[in-house]
Amino acid sequence: MCDGRCGVTPQSVLRFMGPFAPGLVRMMIDRRMKRFTEEQAGNLHDLEALSWYLYQNWCRSASGEYALNGVLQPGGADGQEWASARLPLEDRLVPGSVPCPLTFIYGDPSVDWMDSNKGGRIVGRLREAGHAANLMQVDGAGHQLFIEEPAEFNRLLIQALNQPINQKVTLGHPQIVVS
């Protein structure tokens, strides 16, 4: 069985499909659109352009798709997930390890495959330690919430970026400090 490190990815399958790949991507977009509300569908102005954009990104030379194999592993510890992190953020984002305010933005729990409860536990632990941390959700959106609900995603992103920094934060270089 291929555990994700055998070199087969959804993108490699599309590259293998050759001239049939653009049509397959369009079929995937059309299938995904069936679960969209009329309002969500109205946010996507040009499905043909979106399909072409995704095809162009997914069928380029492999790079990031293999990086995902390094961070994800098949299945979850509880057997309920189709993939889980090899090095979970829950184990790494602990009080004292995060040098800046942290915000998670998830899609709707009934649609998004990502488990927002894990992000919620991280946020709770950081807040208990006095760290600026938030979790936001975009109702009705799946994992690609910036495509499915762009206006709400943008609003939440701007809200997160505009939150005041109420702690000392080191940005990139140890000599640059914002307080």
Side-chain angles (χ1 to χ4, degrees):
M1 177 176 140
C2 176
D3 73 352
R5 290 179 278 180
C6 63
V8 178
T9 66
Q11 293 88 346
S12 69
V13 171
L14 283 174
R15 284 190 291 275
F16 177 78
M17 298 294 293
F20 300 103
L24 184 59
V25 171
R26 180 57 199 248
M27 285 176 24
M28 291 167 36
I29 294 297
D30 290 343
R31 184 174 176 195
R32 188 174 187 106
M33 290 297 299
K34 287 180 182 176
R35 70 169 185 76
F36 278 27
T37 65
E38 194 170 313
E39 183 181 350
Q40 287 174 314
N43 288 333
L44 300 173
H45 303 288
D46 187 346
L47 293 181
E48 196 60 43
L50 175 62
S51 298
W52 190 246
Y53 169 79
L54 292 174
Y55 165 74
Q56 292 295 323
N57 278 278
W58 292 345
C59 289
R60 298 254 179 226
S61 298
S63 61
E65 67 197 75
Y66 293 123
L68 282 177
N69 292 331
V71 296
L72 295 178
Q73 60 189 355
D78 58 8
Q80 301 298 312
E81 302 166 322
W82 67 270
S84 63
R86 292 184 190 280
L87 299 169
L89 289 177
E90 270 189 284
D91 298 339
R92 297 183 294 147
L93 295 178
V94 296
S97 72
V98 183
C100 59
L102 178 72
T103 298
F104 289 102
I105 305 177
Y106 286 91
D108 191 312
S110 67
V111 183
D112 191 353
W113 64 269
M114 294 288 294
D115 183 0
S116 62
N117 292 317
K118 292 178 180 179
R121 287 192 295 270
I122 294 169
V123 167
R125 198 170 48 211
L126 291 171
R127 282 183 174 175
E128 284 175 10
H131 190 81
N134 292 299
L135 185 139
M136 301 173 174
Q137 292 183 326
V138 177
D139 292 336
H143 186 62
Q144 295 187 349
L145 47 123
F146 53 92
I147 292 174
E148 298 172 21
E149 292 287 347
E152 181 63 5
F153 172 77
N154 289 340
R155 187 186 72 74
L156 291 176
L157 180 61
I158 290 168
Q159 178 183 331
L161 293 172
N162 282 330
Q163 290 184 2
I165 298 174
N166 59 1
Q167 62 191 41
K168 209 170 235 189
V169 178
T170 304
L171 300 174
H173 191 278
Q175 295 173 349
I176 303 172
V177 176
V178 177
S179 48

